[in-house]
Amino acid sequence: MRHGKSSWEYPVDDRDRPLLERGINDAHLVGKHFESQHIIIDQAYSSPANRALHTAMIFLRETNFSLSKFQVTEALYDFTGDSVMRFIKALDDIHDSVVIFGHNYAFTHIANMMGNDYIDNLSTAGLVEIHFQIENWSKALNGVTKQTILPKQLR
């Protein structure tokens, strides 16, 4: 999931940029919609950037996810997708279903590289669900895009 719409109005470091009200609302919308599908999430990870972390907290609260299975990782503060790809391939194989929160261009690139549906640009608070027929995350590459949830579809 890409982080919600963030603000550029404050003179803060990129990592500290907050969500706009729209970003907060969109994270709630996507989280509620995802929860209605009763999809089990084994583990969740987020970039340490404020906007990604805040999006993760809102989404995970909407899905009643236990925060004991949540971690912040520097590897997801990535804009190219290289670090995100290495992170995915290094996931613990005990987890069948994982959600990650981060940034563009990385998340559009990963969705297009690993899924089978082309996405021109993953919008803010957009979520792409990709399924893999693998036993080991290290083999994750050619998955099936099960769904793309965009806030504008839910408003």
Side-chain angles (χ1 to χ4, degrees):
M1 181 170 182
R2 182 180 174 192
H3 65 75
K5 187 77 171 165
S6 60
S7 172
W8 289 89
E9 86 175 79
Y10 303 101
V12 296
D13 284 343
D14 181 72
R15 288 176 180 258
D16 297 326
R17 285 194 295 116
L19 289 177
L20 287 171
E21 185 175 350
R22 181 178 123 197
I24 293 168
N25 294 337
D26 287 351
H28 280 288
L29 276 174
V30 173
K32 285 177 187 172
H33 181 76
F34 192 83
E35 171 62 17
S36 73
Q37 299 176 31
H38 307 290
I39 298 169
I40 304 298
I41 301 169
D42 294 332
Q43 186 71 30
Y45 301 93
S46 176
S47 158
N50 183 43
R51 60 197 182 275
L53 191 54
H54 194 182
T55 300
M57 292 296 98
I58 293 167
F59 176 91
L60 295 172
R61 188 174 56 224
E62 289 292 349
T63 62
N64 299 306
F65 184 80
S66 171
L67 294 184
S68 67
K69 299 184 289 182
F70 172 75
Q71 293 178 0
V72 175
T73 179
E74 190 68 32
L76 296 179
Y77 186 68
D78 173 31
F79 302 93
T80 66
D82 296 341
S83 179
V84 173
M85 181 60 84
R86 283 191 300 275
F87 177 80
I88 292 168
K89 289 185 168 286
L91 285 167
D92 190 328
D93 294 329
I94 195 169
H95 305 305
D96 289 328
S97 178
V98 174
V99 62
I100 58 175
F101 299 87
H103 310 273
N104 235 6
Y105 164 79
F107 276 46
T108 296
H109 177 66
I110 294 293
N112 286 329
M113 189 167 63
M114 299 184 96
N116 66 334
D117 285 344
Y118 178 78
I119 300 167
D120 186 48
N121 179 53
L122 183 59
S123 67
T124 52
L127 181 145
V128 178
E129 179 183 357
I130 302 173
H131 288 210
F132 301 96
Q133 295 296 321
I134 55 171
E135 295 294 322
N136 307 90
W137 283 104
S138 64
K139 306 285 190 227
L141 185 57
N142 297 315
V144 174
T145 304
K146 289 293 186 178
Q147 66 176 328
T148 301
I149 304 171
L150 305 175
K152 69 181 179 182
Q153 298 167 331
L154 305 174
R155 289 189 202 115

